[in-house]
Amino acid sequence: MSLAFDDYGRPYIILRDQGQKKRMKGLEAYKSNILAAKAVANTLSSSLGPKGMDKMLVSPDGDVSVTNDGATIVEKMEIQHPTAKLLVELSQSQDAEIGDGTTGVVVLAGKLLEQALTLLDKGIHPLKISDGFDRACDVAIKHLETISEEIDIQANDNEALVQAACTALGSKVVSKRKRELGKIAVTAVLDVADLARRDVNLDLIKIQTKTGGSVEDTRLISGILIDKDMSHPQMPKEVKDAKICLLTCPFEPPKPKTKHNINISSADDYKKLYLQEQQYFVDMVKLVKNSGANIALCQWGFDDEANHLLLQNELPAVRWVSGTDVELIAMATGARIIPRFQEITPEKLGKAGCVKEVQFGTSNERMLVIENCQCTKAVTILIRGGSQMIVDEAKRSIHDAICVIRNLIKDNRIVYGGGSAELACAIQVLQYADEVSSVEQYAIRSFADALEGIPCCLADNCGLNPITSVAQAKALQLKENNPRIGIDCMELGTIDMKEQRIYETLSSKKQQIQLATQVVKMILKIDDVIAPDDY
Amino acid sequence: MDIVGNVLPQVLKDEATEDKGEMARLQSFVGAIAVADLVKTTLGPKGMDKILKPTGPGQEMTHITVTNDGATILKSMYVENPAAKILIEISKTQDEEVGDGTTTVAVLAGELLREGEKLIQKRIHPQHVIAGWRIARDVALKRLRDISTENDINSQEFHDDLVKIARTTLSSKLITTDRDYFADLCVKAVLRLKGSSNLDYIQIIKLPGGTIRDSYLDDGFILKKQITIGCKRRIENAKILVANTAMDYDKIKIYGTKVKVNSMDKVAEIEAAEKEKMKHKVDKILKYQPTVFVNRQLIYNYPEQLLADSGITVIEHADFEGMERVAAATGAEILSTFDAPERSQQVLGHCDLIEEIMIGEEKMIKFTGCKKNEACTIVLRGASTHILDEVDRSIHDALCVLITTVKNKRVVWGGGNSEMQMAAACEEEAKKVQGKQAFAIEAFARALRQIPTIICDNGGYDSAELIQNFKVELQKGNQTCGLNMTDGTIGNMNELGVKECLRVKEQALMAASEAAELIMRVDNIVKCAPRKRERA
């Protein structure tokens, strides 16, 4: 680090332990930051699109995961470089907000930074570059809105939603079954969606995984699957017309929270206490039974004696049901969660058509299914697959698909995929660039180039010649004034994305461009990096 | 440094590594193929076993395992390579899902990747390979399902099929010489379950001593426990009360109690009260009028003596599984409270005879003529614990396959017949498909054909010749031909009675192709810096 000296030649110390710190300034800092961020973007770029490849990630503990999902990749890479970390957050915020397009956003940011680097070499000030990018971004967003189309999500048996889900699933390892899985995702979302308010509470969709079988065996259960079994091995394995009592108190003598001591000073006391303890169990079970419940689900444990009394009273019960499951069951069956035995009333019971135990494979693992719930507002997607890695990846993929469908229900405007939307924006931005008379013109033009990078990258991943196919598509877009021309990734013989029915949500695309621009602007503003030397 | 000469900043952590493109793929292939090669010598009736020896300090060093079971071998291996881990994972899943074919699935995935590597070297893009494999898998699966047959569950044919399947599964194991005996034993055990798939009810007891031939299926139920001293050793027409209750000091469960007395007399009183409470419980139990009392938990001397005095035979400390099995076998209800003696008829289990028996050196309790005859016991004898462990695993495999068959009912011919049929179907398909995918479909067929090839090789036969003859035989329309591994010829599977369960084959095919696809799609491996462990 450069040192400052006073008039007498003595060094100033400005930062603590200045000698041990690393510092990068000016152009050097810009370049180093950009290169680090680009390195991350490069890793992701080969995952983009339907023919994108997967990444294998080995965790610090040696666990392997294989994924195509941008957010997961960057998260599990354990990136250390501070600027590169910004891209990790970028991908994660896209994941949190939209749920899909996490790879695209990082690749776009990478392309923008690449352009910024050449502009910096030309001697353009970073702030001018970021101003230009900002203006270009506005133009692109506006253009996206004009080319977007509203679709009727319910027409033709929700065909549009299924297609959009297929687009999201197309790049994943489960792409072979994308249509089936897409349909499962659509049904799941529509089951829980509130179409009047255009809102979907994704908490109501439970995604449960279980290794074994194949991805084809994945199915939708219109009810809730919980990874528990009956508390006593001899309880009935199936309860029809279940009236569910949902408890958050244990079948045990109460434990008051205030500290107390019961002193036993005579044998009579001892006997009384014993009788009272026995009475507790009898009362508890009686209270549940009297309410008319025929199955009890409890968040806590049971005492052996209580457990047997339940069996004796023909009241099947499940213990240690997790808190989230309890809430889900409450929503689905219309049950009220009951915190004390005294408060059990018949109105508070939930209703379901059937509660039964199901078994998988040879390893004695059983789960409980609650089907035909009274307010069927919760569903479970049970994912199967040949190994843990496949099941995990399928779960991530279905999550993406569900997010896409939710976004479409919220906002039914779409743009077409295959790089066509980016290409259309690039053309628009380029036109706009020529109208700007200041230095920003160059930055705006570069922004257009960066946008073109996306279809380029798509074509590259699909084994097409990127330059030829992008040039061809661009020329056709201009000639026919058709913003739906893109890259024919699946080699279906048409480059009109409307015909290929590659749908992407407008909100996702908008968010991608905005977020990527923001992060790039942020990176361009850093002109000084101070870090400890050994970091 | 990149091409232009910029020094790339370090993005990942210090010890993390990143491999891209060809390097990453090479790493995956090498790892996966190595794992497949490791287990492939165990495949088939002439496959060899492996010795697994644990590493690290301590007593465990001395305990070795000798096995032929793919899942056991792979589970115990420590591998670093991520692709190898995927193969191990699918083998484990196969074990959990169907119980057998754990070697086949790893070998098939390995062979697929070996073929895949050749295609990559020919400059075919991995996505094209995957596209081809997907077509091939569907075709193979369809053919597999087409050639399978189904018999009515109650028919004699189905029973014969079960025996044949068990024989086939056991033929690759240590007990291959006694496979007829054990096949029969397993089938009987499974049929007792009457369609339920709960393996818990088949208990396997391993006792060193004697020979493998001395193993037997006991139609009763054997509990590896002892009857408490001072009780009758033989009870006819037993009424059994199965309980899960504390029979020791039986503490009061109300929170925060504490005994606080001011004189010795009072202590004595409380003690008497405690004793009385215990007696009270015993009295309540006696009201049920059982002749045998089985408890999961310990029974203290005092209640034990009380019970014994009343002529009840006491069995204490039966663990959870034992208790559930006793309950299932005798039709008893597991009790924890004893306030409803009027339900005595309902809750007591029944069996004709309970007696203490000696197997080898150990005393056990045998329940014969139980009310519900679902539970049963297989007693395994053998010269050493290693042999017993391996026999246990083999029997477990066979039982799993049989249960799967009972559920699924469909069977295919063994001896490599199904693999060859699938390979033939893939090859026919390859002729119809346009584009590069066709190469991948052919590769898929070759990988499938590797399974019978390896089986031949392991038997020391001329695989090239045999497989070619096999192909010709199939081409002629001989649907039941397969490898005769005793003579090294192509034989008739119907005559030899070699059958396999469709579900096992299906699962192996699907899991292996899914895993191969997963590995094929990878073009980048990022290994995070290993977590630093504090040295203890």
Side-chain angles (χ1 to χ4, degrees), chain B residues 59-91:
Chain B
Q59 282 287 305
E60 316 87 67
M61 271 294 276
T62 51
H63 184 80
I64 59 158
T65 315
V66 185
T67 185
N68 180 287
D69 182 49
T72 313
I73 300 172
L74 291 174
K75 247 188 276 183
S76 357
M77 271 192 338
Y78 180 77
V79 295
E80 187 98 24
N81 187 295
K85 278 190 183 148
I86 294 183
L87 252 60
I88 292 174
E89 184 68 30
I90 54 168
S91 180

Short mmCIF file of all heavy atoms in Angstrom, two decimals, chain B residues 59-91:
data_model
loop_
_atom_site.label_atom_id
_atom_site.label_comp_id
_atom_site.label_asym_id
_atom_site.label_seq_id
_atom_site.Cartn_x
_atom_site.Cartn_y
_atom_site.Cartn_z
N GLN B 59 -10.41 -51.14 17.89
CA GLN B 59 -10.88 -52.51 17.82
C GLN B 59 -11.48 -52.86 16.45
O GLN B 59 -11.40 -53.99 16.01
CB GLN B 59 -11.93 -52.73 18.90
CG GLN B 59 -11.37 -52.92 20.30
CD GLN B 59 -10.72 -54.28 20.44
OE1 GLN B 59 -11.35 -55.29 20.19
NE2 GLN B 59 -9.46 -54.30 20.82
N GLU B 60 -12.11 -51.86 15.83
CA GLU B 60 -12.85 -52.14 14.59
C GLU B 60 -11.94 -52.75 13.54
O GLU B 60 -12.40 -53.46 12.64
CB GLU B 60 -13.46 -50.86 14.00
CG GLU B 60 -14.14 -49.94 14.95
CD GLU B 60 -13.18 -48.97 15.58
OE1 GLU B 60 -12.65 -48.11 14.87
OE2 GLU B 60 -12.94 -49.09 16.79
N MET B 61 -10.64 -52.42 13.64
CA MET B 61 -9.68 -52.94 12.67
C MET B 61 -9.81 -54.44 12.48
O MET B 61 -9.61 -54.97 11.40
CB MET B 61 -8.26 -52.65 13.17
CG MET B 61 -7.71 -51.32 12.75
SD MET B 61 -7.46 -51.25 11.02
CE MET B 61 -5.85 -52.05 10.91
N THR B 62 -10.13 -55.11 13.57
CA THR B 62 -10.11 -56.56 13.50
C THR B 62 -11.36 -57.12 12.84
O THR B 62 -11.37 -58.25 12.40
CB THR B 62 -10.00 -57.14 14.92
OG1 THR B 62 -11.01 -56.51 15.70
CG2 THR B 62 -8.64 -56.88 15.51
N HIS B 63 -12.42 -56.34 12.80
CA HIS B 63 -13.66 -56.89 12.26
C HIS B 63 -13.70 -56.75 10.74
O HIS B 63 -13.80 -55.65 10.21
CB HIS B 63 -14.87 -56.19 12.86
CG HIS B 63 -16.15 -56.80 12.40
ND1 HIS B 63 -16.66 -57.95 12.94
CD2 HIS B 63 -16.98 -56.43 11.40
CE1 HIS B 63 -17.77 -58.25 12.31
NE2 HIS B 63 -17.98 -57.36 11.36
N ILE B 64 -13.63 -57.86 10.04
CA ILE B 64 -13.68 -57.78 8.59
C ILE B 64 -15.00 -58.34 8.10
O ILE B 64 -15.70 -59.06 8.79
CB ILE B 64 -12.50 -58.52 7.93
CG1 ILE B 64 -12.52 -59.99 8.35
CG2 ILE B 64 -11.20 -57.87 8.24
CD1 ILE B 64 -11.79 -60.87 7.40
N THR B 65 -15.36 -57.96 6.86
CA THR B 65 -16.59 -58.44 6.26
C THR B 65 -16.23 -59.13 4.95
O THR B 65 -15.43 -58.60 4.20
CB THR B 65 -17.52 -57.25 5.97
OG1 THR B 65 -17.53 -56.40 7.09
CG2 THR B 65 -18.91 -57.70 5.64
N VAL B 66 -16.80 -60.28 4.72
CA VAL B 66 -16.62 -60.95 3.43
C VAL B 66 -17.97 -60.92 2.74
O VAL B 66 -18.95 -61.42 3.30
CB VAL B 66 -16.18 -62.41 3.59
CG1 VAL B 66 -15.90 -63.02 2.23
CG2 VAL B 66 -14.96 -62.48 4.47
N THR B 67 -18.04 -60.32 1.56
CA THR B 67 -19.36 -60.22 0.94
C THR B 67 -19.33 -60.20 -0.57
O THR B 67 -18.30 -59.94 -1.19
CB THR B 67 -20.10 -58.97 1.46
OG1 THR B 67 -21.41 -58.97 0.93
CG2 THR B 67 -19.39 -57.71 1.05
N ASN B 68 -20.49 -60.48 -1.12
CA ASN B 68 -20.69 -60.50 -2.55
C ASN B 68 -21.75 -59.47 -2.91
O ASN B 68 -22.05 -59.21 -4.06
CB ASN B 68 -21.17 -61.92 -2.91
CG ASN B 68 -21.44 -62.11 -4.36
OD1 ASN B 68 -22.43 -61.59 -4.85
ND2 ASN B 68 -20.59 -62.85 -5.04
N ASP B 69 -22.29 -58.82 -1.89
CA ASP B 69 -23.42 -57.92 -2.09
C ASP B 69 -22.91 -56.53 -2.48
O ASP B 69 -22.18 -55.89 -1.73
CB ASP B 69 -24.20 -57.85 -0.77
CG ASP B 69 -25.41 -56.96 -0.89
OD1 ASP B 69 -26.16 -57.13 -1.85
OD2 ASP B 69 -25.58 -56.07 -0.05
N GLY B 70 -23.30 -56.08 -3.68
CA GLY B 70 -22.80 -54.83 -4.23
C GLY B 70 -23.02 -53.66 -3.29
O GLY B 70 -22.11 -52.86 -3.04
N ALA B 71 -24.24 -53.56 -2.75
CA ALA B 71 -24.55 -52.41 -1.91
C ALA B 71 -23.66 -52.39 -0.68
O ALA B 71 -23.16 -51.33 -0.29
CB ALA B 71 -26.01 -52.46 -1.48
N THR B 72 -23.42 -53.57 -0.09
CA THR B 72 -22.59 -53.62 1.11
C THR B 72 -21.16 -53.18 0.78
O THR B 72 -20.55 -52.42 1.51
CB THR B 72 -22.57 -55.04 1.69
OG1 THR B 72 -23.90 -55.51 1.73
CG2 THR B 72 -21.96 -55.08 3.06
N ILE B 73 -20.65 -53.67 -0.35
CA ILE B 73 -19.29 -53.30 -0.74
C ILE B 73 -19.20 -51.79 -0.94
O ILE B 73 -18.35 -51.11 -0.37
CB ILE B 73 -18.87 -54.01 -2.04
CG1 ILE B 73 -18.92 -55.52 -1.86
CG2 ILE B 73 -17.49 -53.56 -2.48
CD1 ILE B 73 -18.70 -56.29 -3.12
N LEU B 74 -20.12 -51.27 -1.73
CA LEU B 74 -20.03 -49.86 -2.09
C LEU B 74 -20.27 -48.96 -0.88
O LEU B 74 -19.62 -47.93 -0.73
CB LEU B 74 -21.04 -49.55 -3.20
CG LEU B 74 -20.71 -50.20 -4.53
CD1 LEU B 74 -21.82 -49.97 -5.53
CD2 LEU B 74 -19.40 -49.66 -5.09
N LYS B 75 -21.21 -49.38 -0.02
CA LYS B 75 -21.51 -48.57 1.15
C LYS B 75 -20.28 -48.40 2.04
O LYS B 75 -20.07 -47.36 2.62
CB LYS B 75 -22.62 -49.26 1.95
CG LYS B 75 -23.93 -48.48 1.97
CD LYS B 75 -24.90 -49.13 2.94
CE LYS B 75 -25.64 -50.27 2.29
NZ LYS B 75 -26.64 -50.91 3.13
N SER B 76 -19.50 -49.49 2.14
CA SER B 76 -18.39 -49.42 3.08
C SER B 76 -17.15 -48.76 2.49
O SER B 76 -16.16 -48.58 3.18
CB SER B 76 -18.03 -50.81 3.58
OG SER B 76 -18.88 -51.78 3.08
N MET B 77 -17.21 -48.43 1.20
CA MET B 77 -16.02 -47.84 0.60
C MET B 77 -15.97 -46.36 0.83
O MET B 77 -16.98 -45.69 0.83
CB MET B 77 -16.03 -48.10 -0.90
CG MET B 77 -15.38 -49.38 -1.24
SD MET B 77 -15.06 -49.55 -2.97
CE MET B 77 -16.16 -48.45 -3.75
N TYR B 78 -14.77 -45.85 1.03
CA TYR B 78 -14.65 -44.41 1.13
C TYR B 78 -14.08 -43.89 -0.18
O TYR B 78 -12.95 -44.21 -0.53
CB TYR B 78 -13.74 -44.03 2.30
CG TYR B 78 -13.58 -42.56 2.42
CD1 TYR B 78 -14.60 -41.80 2.98
CD2 TYR B 78 -12.46 -41.92 1.92
CE1 TYR B 78 -14.50 -40.43 3.06
CE2 TYR B 78 -12.36 -40.54 2.00
CZ TYR B 78 -13.37 -39.81 2.57
OH TYR B 78 -13.28 -38.45 2.63
N VAL B 79 -14.85 -43.14 -0.91
CA VAL B 79 -14.33 -42.60 -2.17
C VAL B 79 -14.35 -41.08 -2.15
O VAL B 79 -15.15 -40.46 -1.46
CB VAL B 79 -15.13 -43.09 -3.40
CG1 VAL B 79 -14.99 -44.56 -3.58
CG2 VAL B 79 -16.56 -42.68 -3.30
N GLU B 80 -13.45 -40.54 -2.93
CA GLU B 80 -13.32 -39.08 -2.99
C GLU B 80 -14.04 -38.55 -4.22
O GLU B 80 -14.63 -37.50 -4.21
CB GLU B 80 -11.83 -38.75 -3.05
CG GLU B 80 -11.51 -37.28 -2.96
CD GLU B 80 -11.13 -36.91 -1.55
OE1 GLU B 80 -10.68 -37.78 -0.79
OE2 GLU B 80 -11.28 -35.73 -1.19
N ASN B 81 -13.99 -39.35 -5.29
CA ASN B 81 -14.48 -38.90 -6.58
C ASN B 81 -16.01 -38.70 -6.56
O ASN B 81 -16.75 -39.60 -6.18
CB ASN B 81 -14.11 -39.96 -7.62
CG ASN B 81 -14.42 -39.50 -9.01
OD1 ASN B 81 -15.59 -39.32 -9.34
ND2 ASN B 81 -13.41 -39.29 -9.80
N PRO B 82 -16.45 -37.49 -6.95
CA PRO B 82 -17.89 -37.22 -6.85
C PRO B 82 -18.76 -38.13 -7.73
O PRO B 82 -19.84 -38.53 -7.31
CB PRO B 82 -18.01 -35.76 -7.28
CG PRO B 82 -16.71 -35.37 -7.86
CD PRO B 82 -15.69 -36.31 -7.34
N ALA B 83 -18.27 -38.46 -8.93
CA ALA B 83 -19.08 -39.33 -9.80
C ALA B 83 -19.20 -40.72 -9.19
O ALA B 83 -20.25 -41.35 -9.26
CB ALA B 83 -18.44 -39.42 -11.19
N ALA B 84 -18.13 -41.17 -8.57
CA ALA B 84 -18.16 -42.48 -7.91
C ALA B 84 -19.20 -42.45 -6.80
O ALA B 84 -19.91 -43.43 -6.58
CB ALA B 84 -16.79 -42.80 -7.34
N LYS B 85 -19.31 -41.32 -6.14
CA LYS B 85 -20.29 -41.21 -5.06
C LYS B 85 -21.71 -41.36 -5.60
O LYS B 85 -22.58 -41.92 -4.93
CB LYS B 85 -20.16 -39.85 -4.37
CG LYS B 85 -19.05 -39.87 -3.35
CD LYS B 85 -19.07 -38.62 -2.51
CE LYS B 85 -17.90 -38.67 -1.55
NZ LYS B 85 -17.37 -37.37 -1.25
N ILE B 86 -21.94 -40.84 -6.79
CA ILE B 86 -23.28 -40.97 -7.38
C ILE B 86 -23.62 -42.44 -7.61
O ILE B 86 -24.71 -42.90 -7.33
CB ILE B 86 -23.37 -40.16 -8.69
CG1 ILE B 86 -23.23 -38.68 -8.36
CG2 ILE B 86 -24.65 -40.45 -9.43
CD1 ILE B 86 -23.36 -37.77 -9.52
N LEU B 87 -22.63 -43.19 -8.09
CA LEU B 87 -22.86 -44.62 -8.33
C LEU B 87 -23.17 -45.34 -7.03
O LEU B 87 -24.04 -46.22 -6.98
CB LEU B 87 -21.63 -45.24 -9.00
CG LEU B 87 -21.83 -45.60 -10.47
CD1 LEU B 87 -22.18 -44.37 -11.26
CD2 LEU B 87 -20.61 -46.27 -11.03
N ILE B 88 -22.45 -44.99 -6.01
CA ILE B 88 -22.69 -45.62 -4.71
C ILE B 88 -24.10 -45.28 -4.24
O ILE B 88 -24.81 -46.12 -3.71
CB ILE B 88 -21.62 -45.15 -3.71
CG1 ILE B 88 -20.27 -45.71 -4.12
CG2 ILE B 88 -21.98 -45.57 -2.30
CD1 ILE B 88 -19.12 -45.23 -3.32
N GLU B 89 -24.47 -44.05 -4.48
CA GLU B 89 -25.80 -43.59 -4.07
C GLU B 89 -26.91 -44.40 -4.76
O GLU B 89 -27.85 -44.85 -4.10
CB GLU B 89 -25.92 -42.10 -4.41
CG GLU B 89 -27.18 -41.44 -3.99
CD GLU B 89 -27.30 -41.33 -2.49
OE1 GLU B 89 -26.27 -41.21 -1.81
OE2 GLU B 89 -28.43 -41.37 -2.01
N ILE B 90 -26.77 -44.64 -6.07
CA ILE B 90 -27.84 -45.38 -6.74
C ILE B 90 -27.88 -46.83 -6.26
O ILE B 90 -28.93 -47.43 -6.17
CB ILE B 90 -27.76 -45.36 -8.30
CG1 ILE B 90 -26.43 -45.82 -8.79
CG2 ILE B 90 -28.13 -44.03 -8.85
CD1 ILE B 90 -26.41 -46.10 -10.27
N SER B 91 -26.71 -47.35 -5.94
CA SER B 91 -26.68 -48.72 -5.45
C SER B 91 -27.42 -48.81 -4.11
O SER B 91 -28.18 -49.75 -3.87
CB SER B 91 -25.23 -49.16 -5.30
OG SER B 91 -25.15 -50.45 -4.84
#
